[in-house]
Amino acid sequence: MCSTESNTEPQPTSSDPALLLELKTRRPPSLLDQAGCETWSVDFSPDGTWFAWSMGHGIVWVVAWPLDSEEGQDGETDRADKSFSCGHPVWGLAFGPRPPRSAAAAAHPTKPSKGPKGKSTLLLATGLENGVIKVWNVLTGNAVFDLHGHEGVVRNLVFPQNGSLKLISSSRDKTLRIWNLAHKGKKVQVLSGHKDWISCCSVSPDCSMIASVGRFDRMVCLWSLRSYTFIRNLRGGTNKKLCLLSSCSFSPDGAVLATAAFSGSSWWIDLWDPYTAEKLATLADYFEDYGQNQISAIQFSPDGLHLAIVTDDRALRIWEPGEKHMTMQTKRDQDSSGLCCNYHPQGGVIATGTRNGHVRFWRTPRTVPSLCHLCRSIMRHSVSTFQIEALPLPKRILEYLTYRNIPERLKTCCSSDEEDWES
């Protein structure tokens, strides 16, 4: 079921200089701050012209981005707000498929792909609490088909970046599934190995690996997306016995995997080399209120220079790996209740979802990448750590290309308590 009747209202930005806009849902007072209102997932379309979020109570809302845009460049696309009633709470969602990087695609970056009958197609997959995945055509508002197989909450959905019709899902039933949407999901690969709920999954940019983190089993698993086999377990990224893992994210070149975990008195992020399983750096934060500051989500920026962090005490932090202090952090707010985040494909803006079903859009720092960083990113996208190590390179260059150039004093650092970021 799709509706285009507006049920959201943009709110003026607060005193926080980084907050661009907040979308709030209209709900009866009896439903405010109740279970079922949460925004568990947000996503931008691959070309950045649409934005979707799960606004609670089984509803997914889709709006054109930027919010003041009225029609697509083709003059035909309906840019009105759309809502999809999924019937069950929505925990994960993802736009797809991602368009292939071709000359034609580059010439028309906002032109939607065409379906088999020449009609415009933009898919949106939604993962439900009952284990079903519903796939929608955003531009027509029609449900395309349902995917059945998971026996628990579908927590996370990811489309690879190569434009294929593969969909990767992770669930509380302890499995990941790879669905081939070209065959309406009838050809399924099941990856088993986790001992408990899977919190999050991420696909490497070259589409060779899947990373998944188990919330309670403290496992960080790497899987081959080519052979559908288990590669290795990074052992949860910590020696602490009592902790929960919440999120993971590959860097845009695939050379670094970030994982997030928390315990009763701290949270931390580990940076890993997914090829060698070497820990490259750790960012940690400690707090006095036991159990009151979990870390919910992390994501690398599209340029790979920054890592976004969503926690209970701050709506958003931006960290440059290897730096001791935050590049940006919002004001302290114990009621921020952040659950998820997602960068716009072109960067500069990030969206965060909250427990009350609202969405906030934040302006993020823009940095001109150095020539060294650009060269490393291009090389590491297709060259593994083992291949780099086999090259006759000076030690300093080798360390830079393998992200081992982080100073020893910064390999374990604490989140700063410095003053809040201001423009």
Side-chain angles (χ1 to χ4, degrees):
M1 176 181 179
C2 174
S3 170
T4 57
E5 181 181 355
S6 177
N7 194 38
T8 61
E9 47 187 11
Q11 299 293 317
T13 58
S14 69
S15 59
D16 196 311
L19 184 60
L20 294 173
L21 183 70
E22 183 173 11
L23 295 180
K24 293 186 176 181
T25 55
R26 296 176 182 148
R27 287 196 178 94
S30 60
L31 294 180
L32 295 178
D33 300 322
Q34 299 296 314
C37 294
E38 300 90 350
T39 293
W40 290 110
S41 187
V42 296
D43 195 22
F44 287 96
S45 62
D47 61 6
T49 60
W50 293 93
F51 175 77
W53 82 96
S54 56
M55 58 187 293
H57 304 292
I59 303 296
V60 171
W61 204 267
V62 182
V63 296
W65 185 269
L67 297 182
D68 57 358
S69 59
E70 296 181 354
E71 63 177 22
Q73 289 188 357
D74 56 4
E76 301 175 356
T77 305
D78 179 11
R79 304 285 285 169
D81 294 1
K82 307 171 192 298
S83 68
F84 300 91
S85 179
C86 299
H88 294 270
V90 179
W91 286 72
L93 58 81
F95 280 104
R98 299 186 183 278
R101 296 180 179 179
S102 63
H108 303 283
T110 59
K111 189 174 182 179
S113 58
K114 298 293 182 179
K117 296 182 180 180
K119 296 182 179 180
S120 297
T121 301
L122 176 62
L123 298 181
L124 177 68
T126 55
L128 310 185
E129 189 172 75
N130 65 348
V132 175
I133 300 172
K134 297 184 76 69
V135 181
W136 306 83
N137 183 344
V138 172
L139 304 183
T140 65
N142 298 325
V144 183
F145 47 76
D146 292 351
L147 304 176
H148 298 269
H150 280 301
E151 298 178 355
V153 172
V154 179
R155 188 61 188 90
N156 202 213
L157 296 171
V158 183
F159 280 95
Q161 298 181 23
N162 59 2
S164 70
L165 283 169
K166 288 183 178 179
L167 173 65
I168 295 88
S169 60
S170 62
S171 170
R172 287 185 176 178
D173 66 6
K174 311 175 190 178
T175 69
L176 296 102
R177 291 175 180 256
I178 298 96
W179 313 80
N180 189 339
L181 301 193
H183 298 276
K184 296 185 178 181
K186 293 180 180 179
K187 293 186 177 181
V188 184
Q189 298 289 337
V190 181
L191 304 181
S192 302
H194 278 281
K195 300 175 182 178
D196 219 308
W197 293 358
I198 301 177
S199 297
C200 181
C201 64
S202 180
V203 177
S204 62
D206 66 353
C207 305
S208 66
M209 285 187 290
I210 304 172
S212 60
V213 295
R215 189 166 185 83
F216 299 106
D217 61 17
R218 300 187 298 278
M219 296 175 67
V220 179
C221 295
L222 295 179
W223 314 82
S224 171
L225 190 50
R226 294 167 179 165
S227 62
Y228 308 115
T229 56
F230 176 78
I231 300 176
R232 65 173 59 90
N233 172 26
L234 298 181
R235 299 299 181 189
T238 177
N239 292 323
K240 293 179 180 288
K241 292 183 179 181
L242 298 177
C243 71
L244 301 176
L245 270 71
S246 57
S247 186
C248 62
S249 178
F250 275 104
S251 61
D253 60 7
V256 178
L257 174 67
T259 60
F262 63 95
S263 65
S265 58
S266 63
W267 60 255
W268 58 94
I269 297 170
D270 289 319
L271 302 183
W272 300 88
D273 184 319
Y275 297 98
T276 66
E278 176 185 353
K279 188 187 296 186
L280 303 172
T282 297
L283 173 73
D285 191 25
Y286 303 90
F287 38 89
E288 296 179 357
D289 297 330
Y290 189 86
Q292 298 298 313
N293 191 15
Q294 73 178 40
I295 182 170
S296 300
I298 56 175
Q299 189 188 32
F300 273 102
S301 61
D303 58 14
L305 291 173
H306 300 106
L307 187 70
I309 306 168
V310 175
T311 61
D312 278 350
D313 70 328
R314 293 183 191 267
L316 182 66
R317 289 174 168 91
I318 303 292
W319 178 49
E320 181 178 346
E323 293 297 322
K324 188 174 182 179
H325 302 297
M326 292 291 131
T327 303
M328 162 196 157
Q329 55 185 1
T330 59
K331 299 178 182 298
R332 282 192 178 276
D333 180 9
Q334 290 295 341
D335 297 324
S336 65
S337 302
L339 291 176
C340 58
C341 65
N342 212 312
Y343 270 98
H344 187 276
Q346 279 77 54
V349 173
I350 190 170
T352 60
T354 66
R355 290 189 181 278
N356 54 17
H358 301 170
V359 176
R360 295 168 177 169
F361 298 94
W362 306 88
R363 173 168 50 88
T364 61
R366 280 190 177 273
T367 303
V368 178
S370 66
L371 182 58
C372 290
H373 175 79
L374 293 174
C375 291
R376 177 173 63 180
S377 297
I378 293 172
M379 176 178 287
R380 291 311 310 271
H381 190 275
S382 57
V383 181
S384 71
T385 302
F386 300 117
Q387 292 171 316
I388 292 289
E389 291 175 335
L391 299 175
L393 297 172
K395 180 180 178 181
R396 186 174 179 181
I397 295 178
L398 180 65
E399 290 179 344
Y400 181 79
L401 292 177
T402 56
Y403 289 88
R404 294 169 181 159
N405 62 319
I406 298 175
E408 191 68 32
R409 61 186 176 84
L410 297 179
K411 286 189 176 180
T412 301
C413 54
C414 295
S415 175
S416 174
D417 287 328
E418 62 190 18
E419 294 182 1
D420 298 323
W421 176 81
E422 296 182 359
S423 60

